[in-house]
Amino acid sequence: MRRHWIVLARSPHRWFEISFWPLMDVLLWGSLGAFVATQSTASRAGTPYLLAGIMMFWVFTQSQFAVALGVNEETWTRNILNVLTTPVREVEYIGGLALFGVVKLALCMTTLTVATIFFFSFDLSQVGWAVIPIAGLLVLQGWSLGVFVVGLILRFGQSAEILIWGLNYVILAFSGVFFPAEALPRGLAHAAALLPTTKAFAALRHVLAGGSLQWGTLAASAAGTVAMFALAVAFSTWQLRTFRRRGFVTRYS
């Protein structure tokens, strides 16, 4: 955690993912919601869904970035061999990245909260404590995807790093971040319903609509998250063994 904090503190451009990109997303989706709200009385209810959706999606995104970009940082600096030869175990290293991601997430959410209140008078905390378990699930889901992407990078090299951002857009499209998954084309809607992220955002929309927290939906999302995390860890562990056995470390040295 200290190593990555030093890098972040001394590299101003790395603050883009904590402040600039979240701010741009708030301006983009918030302005879209504000425009739609001027078209009719019924459409005014859509703005909170857009703003809450993008805020909670950044919870997922920052958690995923913390793990995936943290490991990828070692490939960019050709430091991965040094990491592998230290006494630090893999679980300790990934755990440090995940915890550092929580720090970055807190900074990112501060940016998002100030921006939504200042520009659009929207405060997600008004929803109440219900956002806490939803955010917790999204953090775990982000970590799971990040671990999975790390396995892909270990197996296929730096060419796979595009998936750090690419898979996020898949989640954005298929998880019903701004709309129910049922709005997707029929075949895609059935596939989207299987994602644990879809159920987390469905619970968020239900709360925003004035309903109570759907514990059944959250339980289904939690079960899917556990399975997602277990599969990601198993896959990355397998790829790490392959990485060592085949000497793929030479790609980064």
Side-chain angles (χ1 to χ4, degrees):
M1 290 179 64
R2 182 170 178 269
R3 171 253 196 273
H4 284 280
W5 174 255
I6 291 173
V7 172
L8 178 65
R10 297 182 180 181
S11 305
H13 60 279
R14 296 178 187 272
W15 289 81
F16 266 51
E17 69 183 79
I18 297 174
S19 56
F20 183 77
W21 298 126
L23 177 61
M24 290 299 101
D25 271 346
V26 166
L27 290 176
L28 172 64
W29 296 105
S31 298
L32 175 62
F35 168 72
V36 172
T38 63
Q39 304 307 302
S40 67
T41 303
S43 63
R44 292 176 185 170
T47 305
Y49 290 96
L50 292 173
L51 290 172
I54 198 59
M55 289 182 73
M56 297 303 282
F57 182 69
W58 268 101
V59 171
F60 172 87
T61 298
Q62 279 295 343
S63 302
Q64 194 264 83
F65 279 178
V67 176
L69 284 178
V71 174
N72 213 43
E73 172 73 26
E74 312 300 354
T75 69
W76 290 335
T77 58
R78 298 191 178 277
N79 190 51
I80 195 166
L81 179 59
N82 296 328
V83 173
L84 292 174
T85 55
T86 64
V88 177
R89 293 180 297 174
E90 291 84 355
V91 66
E92 294 169 340
Y93 184 78
I94 295 296
L97 290 177
L99 292 176
F100 181 65
V102 174
V103 175
K104 293 174 65 178
L105 174 59
L107 295 173
C108 177
M109 292 306 294
T110 299
T111 299
L112 290 168
T113 301
V114 171
T116 55
I117 293 175
F118 182 79
F119 291 117
F120 303 105
S121 300
F122 174 79
D123 185 1
L124 185 60
S125 65
Q126 295 175 353
V127 177
W129 64 269
V131 299
I132 296 177
I134 297 173
L137 285 175
L138 289 172
V139 168
L140 293 175
Q141 291 158 6
W143 287 346
S144 300
L145 184 61
V147 171
F148 175 71
V149 173
V150 167
L152 293 175
I153 293 173
L154 291 174
R155 179 62 182 85
F156 299 106
Q158 285 183 293
S159 60
E161 68 184 33
I162 188 63
L163 296 175
I164 298 174
W165 298 273
L167 290 181
N168 269 5
Y169 278 94
V170 174
I171 298 298
L172 179 65
F174 285 85
S175 295
V177 175
F178 306 117
F179 50 80
E182 293 78 11
L184 291 166
R186 184 177 304 173
L188 298 179
H190 293 314
L194 300 176
L195 296 175
T197 48
T198 302
K199 296 177 176 59
F201 283 107
L204 174 65
R205 285 194 304 276
H206 190 265
V207 172
L208 287 171
S212 59
L213 189 61
Q214 297 176 308
W215 289 107
T217 302
L218 282 185
S221 179
T225 301
V226 171
M228 180 180 177
F229 186 77
L231 290 172
V233 170
F235 173 75
S236 292
T237 301
W238 172 37
Q239 293 304 326
L240 180 59
R241 286 198 296 264
T242 302
F243 182 84
R244 285 172 165 158
R245 186 176 65 252
R246 297 188 181 182
F248 287 162
V249 72
T250 55
R251 295 171 174 170
Y252 309 107
S253 58

